[in-house]
Amino acid sequence: MSVVTSGRYTFPSYNLVFFIFLQLGLHSVEGVWPLPQSITSSPERYPLNPQAFYFTYGSQSAAQEGCSVLDEAFKRYFSLIFPDYSSGYGFLRFSVDKPFTVQVSVGRDDCDSYPDQDSSEQYTLSVSAGQASLKAETVWGALRGLETFSQLVYQEDFGSYYVNKTEIKDFPRFQFRGILLDTSRHYLPVQAILKTLDAMAFSKFNVFHWHIVDDPSFPYQSRTFPDLSAKGAFHPMTHIYTQSDVGRVISFARMRGIRVLPEFDSPGHTQSWGKGQSDLLTPCYSGSSPSGTFGPVNPILPSTYKFMATLFKEVSSVFPDSYIHLGGDEVNFSCWKSNPDVRAFMLKMGFGADFTKLEAYYMENIVNITVALNRTSIVWQDVFDYHERIPKDTVLHIWKGLPASYAAELSAITKAGYRVLLAAPWYINHISYGQDWRNYYTVQPLNFSGTEEQKKLVIGGEVCMWGEYVDATNLTPRLWPRASAAAERLWSDEKQTSDVDKAFPRLQDFRCELLRRGIQAEPLFVGHCKHEYQGV
Amino acid sequence: MLKFVSLLLALSFCQGLQHNNIDDYVEAEPVFEASKYGSLWPLPQKVQISEVSFKLTSSSFRIVDAKASSAGPSCSLLQSAYRRYYEYMFGSAKKQWWSKNNRRSDPSDLSELQVWITSPDSECDGYPSVTSDESYELTVNQPVAVLKAPKVWGALHGLETFSQLVFEDEYGAKSINAAIINDFPRFQHRGILLDSSRHFLPIKVILANLETMAMNKFNVFHWHIVDDQSFPYLSRTFPQLSEQGAYHPYTHVYTPADVKMVIEFARLRGIRVIPEFDTPGHTQSWGKGQKDLLTPCYSGSKPSGSFGPVNPILNTTYDFMAQFFTEISTVFPDGYVHLGGDEVDFTCWKSNPDIQKFMEQQHFGDDYRKLESFYIQKLLDIVTSTKKGYLIWQEVFDNGVKLKPDTVVHVWIGGGSDKEMSTVTAAGYTTILSAPWYLDYISYGQDWQKYYKVEPLNFEGTDEQKKLVIGGEACLWGEYVDATNLTPRLWPRASAVAERLWSAKDVTDIGDAFNRLSLHRCRMVERGIPAEPLFSSYCPHEYKGV
């Protein structure tokens, strides 16, 4: 009866020993996920009493009380650190525990800004008797440090909380650590997005790539072009993101040090756009007459670029991030080829029969629109593959292929001097039986042929959860803890985290911590958590 | 033209498989169209739906016992089913109290569904069994709809079907088309296996899945309750089994009250609960609370400290099993228990000098299958004495153990399962099929189609042999499954199996199945079950339980 292959996942016994070690509550700092760059800890430990536990701002800190990001974070992390504490009753202890204070100091008062590509996330954390000192350049670094601190605290079977004497110096390996959610193939209720942002912060992800529209539906409610969602969403009232929904997502993300990167993919993947914007898409022809179907955005009409300029102007005012994702992938040329006007345009422009030149022409125009809006563009690798003239600060996003082919692409793009973002090995919507997190963990993003300078052009990576088979019913368990494997690869030092078997018990612990925090993270293998998920 | 307007609007399946760089993934993209059978799932044996439709008003519509029915107000099984289905159709009473009196019933309304249990014994207070009559006839017409069934079990299925006929028109009003349905299951045993040993499943999850099983007309919950990893069953006779063998003795156990609740919850939905206590292999967790039950393994001439399968050479083993299965026979009312018997690893037995000696005494030679048979034989005798029938995994049959004629052989080994079905039935044994339905094996894309296309009787054999196939089970083993992902992983993939086991053999149109299943999954979502999507699409009421 049972699964024939279960033997495949029997682990060497030293892992079991290690796991049991952790289970006994002898928590080590190795419990922190993703692993900090440098940590030392000692067995010396201090009890924490929720009634005598405080967050404070250091006297030298540039941010002080009233700093929205940190004030909110203190509230949030108090509950995360003491999950079963309720102020109303209980905890009538006679203990004379000394107070414990976490003192947070930041170098800059960036409390009211947004995290960006250049934001520093480094921090140092020093835990000693009665206090912890957390220092960071920015509030974003302080958030990372608070997350680490919260993971250092553990609860013994009798209910008491402890933290060990610890020194941590930490910073991310890659600046861009993203998760893509696709809200077009299935609509994701705002609640599901917020939940994901919460979980992202627990794994130190810092970019939410919002693939907000695509062929199947256009849920973004534009204030300039309300017809786009009125006609292009699955439902014009219940399946849209209003301006206030979007604002809520952005501010929720900001509070967690997460950027929101919107993607408005064109000229392909735009079927839903055509419903609310006539003449935007190319009419396809069958023989000499229009067939009634439509192809990619029509690249030959001035009205197209006027529309796009207006839309992106709105997008850049709604989304504060300085990057915009323009898509540019998988353009099917057959409709363009069928259209006599497009062919005439090709002739006029001297493109011959090379439709990649037409696509290049289109993308160049779109990129220039965003440049004029003072935004940096990210585009899928297809755009580079067509040898387009694109501004040097454009970021290429690699999504195709197996390690050999994406390594070659990394090599080629960085050689051309472009910055690059890697998603190909982290298409997490592709599921399979067993522990596929191991594949996500063992990716080596810089293992391609190139100079040191080239490697510096890899700004990070992204976990993609495309939506063909995913909606609010299965998103969370499908994403976590599998995405956490990629999180450690993108944050931690590769040498210190190269052993996937050593990562296993740590990730098992971390997923139980996610459950404790209300994130419906699925199991890695057989076993249990002290606090199981109680929903259905 | 049927009026499924709003449901139709509800689903638009769009083009564009972005970024699928799986090279071998080539699948035609599904395009949603309305099925002439609406959202019925599994498809009834005989359906006639007319174009005439009636309105149902929550304030006046009632489900009532027919005057001639042998079950009355005292049949709480039916009364609670009426309320359940009323709420499925109209939302909870709280949600629609204000609509009272805001619309008078008019002649085009359907005001009543009368439920008529026709046989003198409704079986209202009994338990469903393998021979239960699950058939029903449903007539939807003016002024009242009538649901006739010999027993309550058929009535439960008929209520589900009735609720599936109800749809919302474009103004949000509930409507139903006139229809005549005559229905019964193709196979008698339609099961779901859940594994509560590799991961503990909180009761709430088990109940939610029983609820969903009823929506899919499944009728057997195969509870693989214990295994190597943990022993969450709290035994009254041997409490130390779960004290020592569960993941946690209080938070990760099923108490007698829990088990009772599961059984009653299942009974109220026409579902049998068949417990599995798998031996002699898959028993590591038993050894923690029961000394000397497992075989000590040897390394050379000394015990290695590790243990193998149940020790078949000690009398104490059989004393223990006799007491244990006596308890099981009283706790679980179903006529059958599943005894496992699969995947016995002989290396530990081989290493043990006492076992070697015993093998010699019994003239078993080197054939450890004979020792396994020896054990199973004794176990079967014990269980027979508790007046229970049993199911066993196919190895027990393959190894030539003498079985009672009413034994059910459970075929699970993939590859060659057709041949196995042929052999088992040729030997005259009843069988159920699981091999093609291991739903824990996930893959990218619409794998429900693979489960749907299975034909259980597609093996060589006489008509008599085919009659011995009483059904099948979808298995969701627990290596990678717990409460976090169980429900979306099981539904609607298991629904594909449900239709294969319930509907007529010629119901094989995959396109029509896609259309109906898409609506059926949205209905499950609306009823609060996080059933995952089949493909890009939307439901009018998305899952809100995030």
Side-chain angles (χ1 to χ4, degrees), chain B residues 55-64 86-87 89-93 95-106 109-112 172-174:
Chain B
K55 295 238 177 314
L56 279 77
T57 314
S58 64
S59 55
S60 58
F61 181 78
R62 295 290 177 265
I63 305 174
V64 297
Y86 180 87
E87 286 184 356
M89 289 184 285
F90 300 108
S92 65
K95 233 170 98 185
Q96 41 87 27
W97 64 270
W98 51 267
S99 71
K100 265 187 191 165
N101 305 326
N102 71 349
R103 189 174 166 277
R104 281 179 341 121
S105 64
D106 71 45
D109 276 10
L110 185 73
S111 60
E112 234 174 59
K174 305 286 178 183

Side-chain angles (χ1 to χ4, degrees), chain A residues 97-380:
Chain A
D97 285 344
K98 290 189 205 105
F100 191 99
T101 307
V102 179
Q103 195 180 75
V104 181
S105 303
V106 294
R108 267 205 308 278
D109 177 7
D110 39 11
C111 297
D112 297 320
S113 69
Y114 289 89
D116 211 334
Q117 182 60 31
D118 307 318
S119 300
S120 160
E121 291 176 286
Q122 59 120 308
Y123 67 92
T124 60
L125 176 63
S126 164
V127 182
S128 52
Q131 67 158 349
S133 164
L134 170 60
K135 293 190 172 128
E137 275 176 35
T138 65
V139 293
W140 320 119
L143 289 175
R144 305 297 168 244
L146 286 169
E147 175 56 41
T148 299
F149 180 80
S150 76
Q151 293 188 23
L152 289 176
V153 177
Y154 55 94
Q155 192 175 19
E156 292 227 311
D157 281 347
F158 313 104
S160 318
Y161 295 95
Y162 291 94
V163 64
N164 284 50
K165 185 174 167 63
T166 309
E167 296 287 333
I168 290 180
K169 208 170 156 13
D170 201 9
F171 54 88
R173 179 184 180 200
F174 292 106
Q175 193 60 35
F176 189 113
R177 304 177 309 282
I179 293 223
L180 175 150
L181 294 186
D182 170 359
T183 56
S184 172
R185 291 181 176 81
H186 285 98
Y187 176 81
L188 297 172
V190 172
Q191 201 50 41
I193 295 176
L194 302 185
K195 192 99 185 172
T196 304
L197 289 168
D198 237 338
M200 283 173 68
F202 302 152
S203 288
K204 297 191 171 73
F205 278 105
N206 68 351
V207 180
F208 166 39
H209 175 173
W210 195 348
H211 187 85
I212 191 164
V213 300
D214 204 300
D215 283 330
S217 77
F218 197 106
Y220 172 76
Q221 188 178 45
S222 159
R223 34 188 199 222
T224 329
F225 302 103
D227 273 356
L228 288 171
S229 63
K231 297 187 174 150
F234 282 135
H235 189 284
M237 303 302 290
T238 58
H239 288 62
I240 58 166
Y241 302 105
T242 64
Q243 290 290 318
S244 80
D245 289 339
V246 173
R248 203 164 142 221
V249 167
I250 292 168
S251 102
F252 195 92
R254 184 183 87 87
M255 286 297 180
R256 285 152 185 80
I258 296 170
R259 301 160 54 191
V260 178
L261 169 71
E263 176 179 354
F264 286 84
D265 190 356
S266 72
H269 289 285
T270 48
Q271 287 297 303
S272 69
W273 302 44
K275 295 184 184 163
Q277 185 69 16
S278 47
D279 302 330
L280 178 65
L281 303 186
T282 311
C284 313
Y285 276 65
S286 129
S288 60
S289 48
S291 68
T293 63
F294 294 88
V297 166
N298 193 335
I300 68 167
L301 300 179
S303 60
T304 293
Y305 300 102
K306 216 177 131 203
F307 166 80
M308 287 294 180
T310 316
L311 179 69
F312 279 109
K313 190 172 176 209
E314 173 184 327
V315 169
S316 69
S317 72
V318 171
F319 293 89
D321 203 79
S322 64
Y323 286 61
I324 291 185
H325 204 301
L326 301 176
D329 59 312
E330 298 185 312
V331 183
N332 184 340
F333 296 141
S334 55
C335 182
W336 280 350
K337 282 181 188 163
S338 77
N339 183 303
D341 300 331
V342 173
R343 286 201 304 265
F345 184 80
M346 293 279 290
L347 218 56
K348 194 179 103 192
M349 298 297 287
F351 292 163
D354 186 356
F355 282 86
T356 65
K357 289 196 172 130
L358 181 59
E359 191 197 348
Y361 167 84
Y362 172 82
M363 285 311 290
E364 200 179 327
N365 276 293
I366 299 298
V367 171
N368 287 339
I369 287 171
T370 53
V371 168
L373 291 165
N374 214 6
R375 290 290 193 271
T376 306
S377 310
I378 304 184
V379 290
W380 296 106

Side-chain angles (χ1 to χ4, degrees), chain A residues 1-3 9 185-186 214 239 329 427 466 468-469 471 474 478 511 520 522 524-525 527 532, chain B residues 18-19 25 198-199 252 342 393 412 438 441 477 480 482 484-485 521 532 534-535 537-539 542:
Chain A
M1 50 99 243
S2 178
V3 175
Y9 299 112
R185 291 181 176 81
H186 285 98
D214 204 300
H239 288 62
D329 59 312
Y427 262 41
W466 295 104
E468 281 87 351
Y469 302 103
D471 71 2
N474 58 359
R478 205 164 271 211
R511 104 98 187 171
Q520 194 181 341
E522 67 179 22
L524 297 177
F525 193 54
E532 301 286 1
Chain B
Q18 174 159 2
H19 310 307
Y25 180 70
R198 291 182 175 86
H199 286 99
H252 288 64
D342 60 310
W393 295 106
W412 70 275
Y438 265 39
Y441 289 128
W477 294 104
Y480 301 101
D482 72 1
T484 62
N485 58 358
R521 103 92 188 173
E532 66 180 24
L534 296 178
F535 194 61
S537 65
Y538 84 107
C539 298
E542 300 287 358

Side-chain angles (χ1 to χ4, degrees), chain B residues 382-400:
Chain B
I382 286 169
V383 174
T384 305
S385 74
T386 67
K387 306 233 161 36
K388 294 283 184 189
Y390 40 76
L391 296 88
I392 39 95
W393 295 106
Q394 68 180 75
E395 287 105 310
V396 178
F397 167 81
D398 297 345
N399 289 346

